[in-house]
Amino acid sequence: MFRALSLAPQGPAAEWLVLLDGALKRDPTLFDDKAVILDVAGLKPTASELESLIAELSTRRLRILGIEGADAALPATLPPRLVAGRPQGDDLEAPAVPEEKPGVSSLTIEGSVRSGQSIVHPEGDVTVMGSVSSGAEILAGGSIHVYGALRGRAIAGAAKNPRARIYCRKFEPELLGIDRLVRTAEDMGNHLRGQAVQIWNDGGAIRIAALG
């Protein structure tokens, strides 16, 4: 098992790159030391357009591990094509591995998650009794519950669980993710800032609403 973020650009690519630059300007370390899977299903680029996009992302120091959602085989100069996270292609053959049903568990953090800390729990829910500081990260296979302020990054449903949710008492995040959907602070607005909220996947879009 490895940890990777899924990035799903939407067209037009030039406008999406402007939004990405805005997120990186606010948090230059957003993708530092992170492996990224590029999901181009919503972009439908040609091979040349995809090469240009990968080049643009490389200048922004994004490490692209593989490409999901590509319609056809990719040039050898690009990262491998992935389907459901697995390499595809005539020259790639993954060994057969018996499927195992993962155990489901929950993880409780009694205090707060400090800046620079990363909590990864792909087997189930994560509950933080304190706050998640700016520059900290929570990645959970299930839902995330934060009883204090959420100021860092929270990614729920990392085990391909679109029904996972994020709950927090004080909403001030840098980045949110549900399954393979991601929203940055610039995309969320300020109308719910400081409030208790819940975040969920509503038919392929991240929704945010006040609690109570």
Side-chain angles (χ1 to χ4, degrees):
M1 182 177 293
F2 63 88
R3 183 172 146 220
L5 296 178
S6 181
L7 197 61
Q10 301 295 318
E15 294 181 8
W16 180 81
L17 286 169
V18 171
L19 295 175
L20 178 63
D21 287 338
L24 289 171
K25 184 176 180 180
R26 185 176 184 277
D27 184 0
T29 65
L30 187 61
F31 294 101
D32 282 7
D33 301 319
K34 302 288 193 309
V36 178
I37 293 176
L38 187 66
D39 187 344
V40 297
L43 198 58
K44 301 296 183 185
T46 64
S48 61
E49 290 171 340
L50 188 52
E51 287 180 321
S52 297
L53 178 60
I54 295 293
E56 289 284 354
L57 295 176
S58 297
T59 65
R60 293 160 173 82
R61 300 188 302 171
L62 271 70
R63 298 186 298 127
I64 305 301
L65 180 72
I67 300 173
E68 288 256 14
D71 290 333
L74 302 177
T77 55
L78 294 180
R81 178 172 176 258
L82 305 178
V83 175
R86 294 180 179 273
Q88 301 292 308
D90 296 336
D91 57 341
L92 293 171
E93 184 175 352
V97 177
E99 291 188 5
E100 296 182 3
K101 186 176 181 179
V104 177
S105 64
S106 61
L107 174 66
T108 300
I109 309 296
E110 294 293 343
S112 295
V113 184
R114 298 185 299 275
S115 179
Q117 285 188 300
S118 181
I119 306 298
V120 180
H121 186 65
E123 291 81 17
D125 295 356
V126 172
T127 300
V128 180
M129 303 306 295
S131 297
V132 179
S133 301
S134 177
E137 180 182 64
I138 305 288
L139 187 146
S143 297
I144 296 174
H145 308 257
V146 180
Y147 283 86
L150 172 56
R151 299 189 177 98
R153 299 185 286 266
I155 300 171
K160 295 187 178 179
N161 179 8
R163 299 181 65 183
R165 296 196 175 207
I166 300 172
Y167 304 88
C168 68
R169 182 165 291 178
K170 190 174 183 181
F171 182 71
E172 299 176 352
E174 298 170 343
L175 179 145
L176 297 172
I178 304 282
D179 192 12
R180 290 186 288 177
L181 303 174
V182 175
R183 288 183 69 176
T184 62
E186 287 78 8
D187 302 325
M188 301 173 205
N190 295 317
H191 62 292
L192 292 174
R193 189 172 180 83
Q195 298 186 41
V197 306
Q198 62 170 323
I199 302 100
W200 72 99
N201 179 348
D202 181 14
I206 290 182
R207 302 296 183 191
I208 307 170
L211 285 170

